[in-house]
Amino acid sequence: MVKVDRSYPAPKSLAVEAKKNTGSYSEEDVIAQLKNDFHNKCYICEMNELQDPQVEHLLPHKNGRYPFRKFDWENLFWSCGHCNGVKNREEYEESIINCCIDDPEDSILFRLDSNNVEVLAKSMADRKAVKTAQLVWEIFNIRNTGMRIYKSEMRLKELQKEMNVLYDKLEAYKKSQYQKRY
Ligand SMILES: [Zn+2]
């Protein structure tokens, strides 16, 4: 999870749809703006080029119990189905960091070794950091169904691939700096 810059103004359809009985929060303008703001990456697992993206509500609207949340631009996030499904639990309802407001890396430590993702809150007293770290850890490690074993492992592999690209770039950069000097 990284900091995302949400763009404004909010997509026009949201205000229109909010007035309808069965309005939609995923009209074309919403999808286009979310996809662009989030660089087409799931905000939780950061997987790229999502095939089946979903509009995720950071604070759940609970089928109309909180109608305002349903169409609130600041409550809509770009997510993959795996993360949306794992997050859909009561303990995550009001306790996940809003990465469009706060930088998750300020309060969460994120480490990857060859086969493990370690995600830890910097302070155990920071409830949002603790819960967000737990959620991010879970989406890479949840193994409670056959499909989730596959999806978690796939995300871990994608992450390792991206980290390897980053390490290669760092190595190349170090080398070029060294060559410049000598
Ligand atoms: Zn995801």
Side-chain angles (χ1 to χ4, degrees):
M1 192 183 272
V2 292
K3 177 84 171 59
V4 171
D5 291 315
R6 187 183 293 277
S7 64
Y8 293 92
K12 284 199 172 76
S13 71
L14 287 173
V16 179
E17 294 294 312
K19 289 181 191 136
K20 298 179 183 170
N21 274 337
T22 52
S24 158
Y25 53 78
S26 50
E27 292 296 292
E28 209 178 337
D29 58 346
V30 176
I31 299 302
Q33 201 163 328
L34 273 181
K35 184 179 169 200
N36 190 53
D37 286 359
F38 286 80
H39 307 286
N40 202 11
K41 280 186 180 186
C42 168
Y43 81 104
I44 301 175
C45 71
E46 294 176 50
M47 200 157 82
N48 252 325
E49 304 291 327
L50 297 182
Q51 304 277 325
D52 294 299
Q54 297 184 351
V55 178
E56 213 273 316
H57 291 83
L58 182 66
L59 303 173
H61 59 84
K62 300 210 166 181
N63 290 325
R65 242 174 73 198
Y66 300 100
F68 173 71
R69 289 179 178 178
K70 199 169 171 181
F71 300 97
D72 176 13
W73 172 233
E74 300 194 4
N75 193 36
L76 304 184
F77 287 71
W78 193 247
S79 157
C80 73
H82 175 68
C83 292
N84 199 355
V86 175
K87 180 178 168 286
N88 187 20
R89 281 219 313 268
E90 215 175 312
E91 60 179 313
Y92 295 138
E93 275 179 7
E94 316 273 338
S95 52
I96 300 304
I97 289 172
N98 184 332
C99 64
C100 295
I101 295 174
D102 298 311
D103 186 343
E105 289 179 359
D106 287 345
S107 56
I108 293 176
L109 277 172
F110 195 82
R111 267 198 304 256
L112 175 76
D113 66 31
S114 52
N115 279 309
N116 279 303
V117 182
E118 231 188 322
V119 197
L120 295 167
K122 290 185 184 173
S123 159
M124 292 306 280
D126 182 344
R127 182 168 174 270
K128 276 199 171 182
V130 170
K131 282 289 159 193
T132 305
Q134 184 190 322
L135 171 65
V136 174
W137 183 87
E138 209 178 337
I139 55 116
F140 288 109
N141 291 285
I142 196 164
R143 302 276 193 272
N144 61 350
T145 66
M147 192 55 97
R148 279 183 168 167
I149 292 173
Y150 168 71
K151 288 183 172 178
S152 296
E153 282 175 356
M154 193 176 81
R155 277 158 183 77
L156 192 56
K157 275 187 201 139
E158 282 297 313
L159 190 65
Q160 284 162 339
K161 244 198 282 177
E162 273 199 38
M163 290 307 285
N164 285 336
V165 171
L166 180 68
Y167 291 144
D168 288 348
K169 278 187 185 157
L170 278 175
E171 270 311 303
Y173 175 74
K174 268 194 257 170
K175 227 187 223 170
S176 72
Q177 291 302 94
Y178 181 84
Q179 279 162 350
K180 241 187 251 169
R181 230 176 287 158
Y182 302 102

